[in-house]
């Protein structure tokens, strides 16, 4: 791998030997390549094509490891000219010239064994001023190699530690995001549940109020029916006994009105002062009664239209209304009279059939 190759070259190993070590170890990693370099130090580098490598690998190896021999090399000289730049062309070596044993960076004054290492330094540092040097770079001693290997291990361990910290930090951040999303989702669910509960409670209150109204109306009707039956029984008994029949709605012989007459009279007088009339309409066929509030000036025909709008079993033209107490059947002529005129204010119970 390019990363392992660059690391080994930065430690001072010859690029051609680094390539040999990586090929020989099958690119299994930094440690096997390092072990191979230490074990085969000083041994000649085998030909890459002879060992089964591709011609392209051989060419890459040859280009990456120009030799710094006494006689000079055209490729190495060309690379050196590129590095030296404004320093001018490299003079040809003569018998009286001093042999260049290394390349020196004029910026940081580091020396390198060959142009490959100098090129690597130029790419990493951005330095572009190099010159030939007679300083010979001595090979690393066993102790120096162990020290460099230890430094390498420490760098790798530090990189792994930094990476582990970054991964842990990222995992923690992701976990925090997940927890926040979970809290937000739970909050939304709780709000929806609370709204649903409020809606259900409101619906139950409404149904309870409607049930209470219906029960009150039924109870009032039962009481009215009971009273009507009692009055009927009293009249029949009076007929059997030969006593005069006293109408509950007329005044007695003493001039004192009966309780029913008083109630009817009181209701009629008070009804004139009510602007609206509350009606409960029961169907003769049964079912839930209908409750409505109409202006007291509305006609019985308006009531018929209301009932017809509530159920298909009632028609405006054929419907008839009766009142249990006081018992009364309204004619078609009464349909043009107002509720106030018919004595239905402020409230009344009608049976539609």
């Amino acid at each position: 791998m390019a990363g392992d190759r660059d690391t080994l070259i930065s430690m001072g190993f010859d690029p051609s030997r680094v390539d040999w070590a990586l090929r020989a170890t099958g690119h299994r990693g930094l440690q096997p390549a390092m072990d191979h370099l230490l074990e085969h130090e000083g041994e000649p580098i085998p030909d890459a094509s002879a060992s089964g490598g591709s011609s392209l690998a051989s060419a890459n190896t040859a280009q990456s490891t120009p030799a710094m021999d006494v006689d000079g090399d055209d490729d190495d000289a060309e690379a050196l000219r590129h590095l030296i730049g404004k320093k001018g062309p490299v003079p040809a070596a003569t018998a009286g010239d001093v042999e260049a044993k290394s390349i020196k960076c004029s910026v940081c004054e580091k020396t390198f064994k060959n142009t490959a290492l100098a090129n690597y330094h130029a790419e990493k540092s951005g330095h572009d001023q190099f010159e030939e040097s007679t300083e010979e770079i001595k090979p690393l001693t066993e102790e120096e190699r162990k020290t460099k290997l230890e430094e390498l291990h420490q760098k790798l361990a530090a990189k792994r530690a930094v990476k582990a910290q970054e991964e842990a930090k990222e995992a923690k951040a992701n976990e925090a995001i997940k927890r926040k999303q979970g809290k937000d989702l739970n909050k939304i669910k709780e709000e929806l549940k609370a709204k649903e509960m409020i809606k259900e409670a409101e619906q139950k209150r409404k149904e309870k109020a409607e049930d209470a109204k219906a029960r009150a109306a039924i109870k009032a009707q039962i009481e009215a029916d009971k009273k009507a039956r009692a009055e009927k029984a009293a009249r029949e008994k009076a007929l059997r006994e030969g006593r005069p029949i006293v109408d509950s709605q007329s005044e007695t012989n003493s001039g004192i009105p009966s309780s029913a007459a008083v109630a009817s009279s009181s209701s009629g007088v008070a009804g004139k002062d009510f602007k609206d009339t509350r009606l409960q309409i029961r169907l003769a066929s049964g079912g839930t009664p209908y409750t409505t509030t109409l202006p007291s000036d509305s006609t019985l025909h308006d009531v018929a239209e209301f009932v017809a709008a509530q159920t298909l079993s009632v028609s405006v033209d054929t419907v008839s209304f009766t009142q249990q107490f006081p018992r009364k059947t309204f004619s078609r002529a009464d349909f043009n009279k107002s509720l106030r005129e018919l004595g239905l204010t402020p409230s009344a119970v009608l049976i539609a059939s």
Side-chain angles (χ1 to χ4, degrees):
M1 294 177 64
D4 296 340
R5 184 178 185 275
D6 293 343
T7 302
L8 292 171
I9 292 176
S10 66
M11 294 176 62
F13 291 105
D14 187 270
S16 59
R17 290 190 172 276
V18 171
D19 292 335
W20 175 31
L22 292 174
R23 288 197 308 271
T25 57
H27 297 273
R28 292 195 304 271
L30 193 60
Q31 187 61 49
M34 177 71 74
D35 295 338
H36 184 277
L37 287 169
L38 296 177
E39 291 175 3
H40 299 278
E41 180 184 4
E43 296 181 10
I45 301 174
D47 186 5
S49 59
S51 60
S54 64
S55 60
L56 179 60
S58 300
N60 291 337
T61 304
Q63 290 177 5
S64 62
T65 57
M68 290 290 293
D69 54 7
V70 176
D71 297 332
D73 182 86
D74 292 340
D75 293 338
D76 186 59
E78 183 63 27
L80 185 57
R81 289 191 188 95
H82 175 71
L83 288 172
I84 292 175
K86 296 181 179 180
K87 296 288 184 178
V90 179
T94 60
D97 291 336
V98 179
E99 180 184 355
K101 298 184 179 296
S102 61
I103 300 174
K104 184 177 182 180
C105 176
S106 302
V107 179
C108 61
E109 297 186 351
K110 288 185 178 180
T111 56
F112 304 96
K113 184 178 180 180
N114 50 46
T115 56
L117 294 176
N119 275 322
Y120 179 81
H121 174 73
E123 291 174 0
K124 294 296 181 181
S125 63
H127 298 169
D128 57 358
Q129 298 295 326
F130 294 84
E131 59 184 8
E132 292 181 335
S133 174
T134 57
E135 181 180 351
E136 183 178 2
I137 299 177
K138 297 180 179 180
L140 297 175
T141 63
E142 186 67 24
E143 187 65 26
E144 289 174 340
R145 288 183 179 177
K146 288 182 179 180
T147 302
K148 279 191 171 290
L149 182 60
E150 182 64 26
E151 291 177 356
L152 177 61
H153 287 163
Q154 291 177 359
K155 288 181 179 180
L156 292 176
K159 288 183 179 179
R160 291 192 186 102
V162 171
K163 185 177 181 181
Q165 290 178 357
E166 292 176 352
E167 291 177 350
K169 185 177 180 181
E170 183 177 357
K172 186 176 181 181
N174 292 336
E175 184 64 25
I177 293 173
K178 290 181 179 179
R179 284 199 299 269
K180 186 177 184 301
Q181 290 176 345
K183 289 180 180 179
D184 293 342
L185 183 60
N186 291 334
K187 185 178 180 181
I188 293 173
K189 289 181 178 178
E190 290 176 358
E191 290 177 353
L192 291 176
K193 186 176 180 181
K195 290 180 180 179
E196 192 67 25
M197 291 177 65
I198 293 173
K199 185 177 179 181
E200 291 178 359
E202 185 66 25
Q203 183 65 24
K204 287 181 179 179
R205 283 195 296 270
K206 184 177 179 181
E207 292 175 355
K208 187 176 180 181
E210 292 177 354
D211 291 342
K213 291 179 181 179
R215 285 195 298 270
I218 293 172
K219 185 177 180 181
Q221 189 63 46
I222 292 173
E223 291 296 329
D225 293 344
K226 187 187 295 183
K227 190 171 183 179
R229 288 194 297 270
E231 291 177 353
K232 182 179 179 181
R235 286 195 300 270
E236 291 175 351
K237 183 178 180 181
L239 287 173
R240 288 194 301 270
E241 295 176 353
R243 292 184 291 105
I245 300 173
V246 180
D247 191 353
S248 61
Q249 299 185 28
S250 63
E251 295 183 0
T252 60
N253 294 332
S254 60
I256 302 175
S258 65
S259 60
V262 172
S264 177
S265 175
S266 174
S267 175
V269 174
K272 297 179 181 180
D273 299 329
F274 284 91
K275 181 179 179 181
D276 297 322
T277 300
R278 180 177 176 82
L279 297 175
Q280 183 184 54
I281 299 97
R282 299 175 60 191
L283 298 179
S285 58
T288 304
Y290 300 104
T291 303
T292 184
T293 300
L294 297 174
S296 297
D297 294 331
S298 300
T299 63
L300 194 60
H301 187 272
D302 295 332
V303 179
E305 289 180 346
F306 167 76
V307 178
Q310 305 303 314
T311 175
L312 297 176
S313 61
V314 174
S315 173
V316 177
D317 298 330
T318 60
V319 66
S320 62
F321 293 104
T322 59
Q323 190 176 15
Q324 289 283 1
F325 181 79
R327 183 175 294 278
K328 181 179 180 181
T329 300
F330 298 94
S331 64
R332 299 302 299 183
D334 293 332
F335 275 55
N336 295 325
K337 295 181 180 179
S338 66
L339 301 179
R340 181 181 286 108
E341 291 174 342
L342 296 174
L344 298 177
T345 56
S347 63
V349 178
L350 299 178
I351 299 176
S353 58

